[in-house]
Amino acid sequence: MNKEQREYIKAQAELAAAEEQERKLEAEFLKKRGYDVASIYCIENESEFDRLNEEFAEEPEEKKAWDRVCKARDKKLEAEEKLIQYALSIIPMKKEREILRKAAKTNWKTRQEMLTIVMKLDTKTVRA
């Protein structure tokens, strides 16, 4: 496993942990107010949803958790981009590399496929 792969895995794990912490805070917030739903988004009454959403957003712990989620997302996107660049750098054919470079910028599915493939790659078998 190379540096880019390790950074991507670490960034994914940090994002998952941050999102899980935020979900727990949201569940606790709702439980304290007598709601038996997993998420604010499960509340069907629009005015009630808006009120609770605004209240939750003002909670100091939620602000910290949301900030952590945003930073983790940015870090994951940065690691993802480095991994895509690594994947492109090891493609020997120039024409195919340029096609994939363009597709990675504009096509989400292609980008995800590239990430999946490069994460499965044993980098010890590749000349850099």
Side-chain angles (χ1 to χ4, degrees), residues 35-51:
Y35 289 91
D36 190 28
V37 292
S39 172
I40 289 175
Y41 296 101
C42 295
I43 297 172
E44 292 181 18
N45 182 318
E46 272 190 59
S47 59
E48 192 68 9
F49 165 81
D50 291 339
R51 183 183 65 76

Side-chain angles (χ1 to χ4, degrees), residues 19-60:
E19 289 174 337
E20 181 61 27
Q21 179 190 16
E22 187 185 34
R23 276 192 292 277
K24 286 180 181 177
L25 285 172
E26 184 178 355
E28 288 173 16
F29 172 83
L30 290 169
K31 191 173 184 179
K32 285 180 187 174
R33 282 154 181 78
Y35 289 91
D36 190 28
V37 292
S39 172
I40 289 175
Y41 296 101
C42 295
I43 297 172
E44 292 181 18
N45 182 318
E46 272 190 59
S47 59
E48 192 68 9
F49 165 81
D50 291 339
R51 183 183 65 76
L52 287 169
N53 201 25
E54 287 175 19
E55 277 183 40
F56 184 59
E58 293 302 316
E59 293 279 314

Side-chain angles (χ1 to χ4, degrees), residues 2-14 71-87 111 115 118-119:
N2 70 4
K3 182 178 119 183
E4 290 85 356
Q5 289 169 319
R6 284 190 299 275
E7 286 179 7
Y8 183 69
I9 289 171
K10 183 179 175 189
Q12 279 183 313
E14 287 176 13
K71 286 178 182 174
R73 283 181 183 161
D74 290 343
K75 189 173 180 178
K76 181 182 176 253
L77 285 173
E78 187 178 308
E80 185 177 289
E81 186 57 34
K82 287 179 182 177
L83 193 57
I84 291 289
Q85 292 308 314
Y86 169 73
R111 188 175 182 87
L115 290 168
V118 77
M119 286 305 294

Side-chain angles (χ1 to χ4, degrees), residues 74-116:
D74 290 343
K75 189 173 180 178
K76 181 182 176 253
L77 285 173
E78 187 178 308
E80 185 177 289
E81 186 57 34
K82 287 179 182 177
L83 193 57
I84 291 289
Q85 292 308 314
Y86 169 73
L88 292 168
S89 75
I90 62 174
I91 298 171
M93 291 79 64
K94 186 176 181 178
K95 181 180 177 184
E96 286 79 358
R97 184 173 47 247
E98 287 307 311
I99 290 169
L100 286 171
R101 184 182 314 280
K102 290 175 186 173
K105 289 180 182 178
T106 59
N107 188 313
W108 184 85
K109 187 167 176 65
T110 300
R111 188 175 182 87
Q112 294 308 305
E113 282 295 317
M114 288 175 68
L115 290 168
T116 299

